[in-house]
Amino acid sequence: MLTEKELKEYCAGARENYLAHISIDCVVFGFHEGLMKVLLLEVKDEGEWYLPGGFLLKKEPIEMAANRILKERTGLDEIFLQQFHVFGDPDRSKQHFDMYKDMIAPEENWFTNRFLTIGYYALVDFCETNPAPDQFAAKCSWRDLNDLPELKLDHALILKTALDTLRLQLNYQPIGYNLMPKEFTMPELQKLYETILDKKLDRRNFQRRMLGFSILTRSDQPRKGGAHKAPYLYSFDLENYKAALTEGFKGGW
């Protein structure tokens, strides 16, 4: 929680620099050691957890603002970023309003605004990410999707909506280029899909369908070491992958 002095300084800066009533909240997904991860912020002195987010500069395009916010939190320039929903419940910011309403005059208090928030989800390379907290956070860290802390405000709803949208995307667009290492095996890619969908997939059907999309290139040699029948390594054909993102494909899992 901000002190009265910190609140006054923050609100003055926010009114001068940022667009009132609109914010951005981001659900950042990573994949590591067979687990889906979500990037979260723990607020200083509260011990409460939130999604990364921020406000729009007054003359800043929305997409540029989302990329700026994600770069500040992840250190990454090129991020797969998808706008998925606008959240506008009148009481969605009530917690912050109640927290600060008696500290300064309402006309000076940025948190008396009713904020609509634009939801984005991002797919990033877990190993390339350098999580960094914002000015309100004690830390910015990855948490397992199946072991999340309680999220404040409506951030649990935002996260659920992002995950539902990502699962829907799997039916008509490829997933994986931003989440997998440069080379991977077919079982590793299948594990990513199963983790996102939260269900088992038939191995032969999965491989047949993925190869049918023409977005994968198989290495001439299998992975070295390990079992006698070592699996082949694959990589994404970036040109075909981008085309599939644009044109889509039919089917469901």
Side-chain angles (χ1 to χ4, degrees), residues 143-163:
R143 298 295 299 260
D144 291 348
L145 183 61
N146 60 2
D147 186 27
L148 295 175
E150 179 184 356
L151 300 179
K152 305 307 291 184
L153 304 178
D154 57 352
H155 287 199
L157 173 63
I158 295 174
L159 173 55
K160 181 183 182 302
T161 307
L163 184 58

Side-chain angles (χ1 to χ4, degrees), residues 13 39 53 68 88 92 98 108 114 143 155-156 172 184 225 243:
L39 199 63
R68 170 180 56 80
R92 63 175 304 273
D98 290 343
E108 299 178 6
R114 174 189 173 185
R143 298 295 299 260
H155 287 199
Y172 60 88
F184 49 86

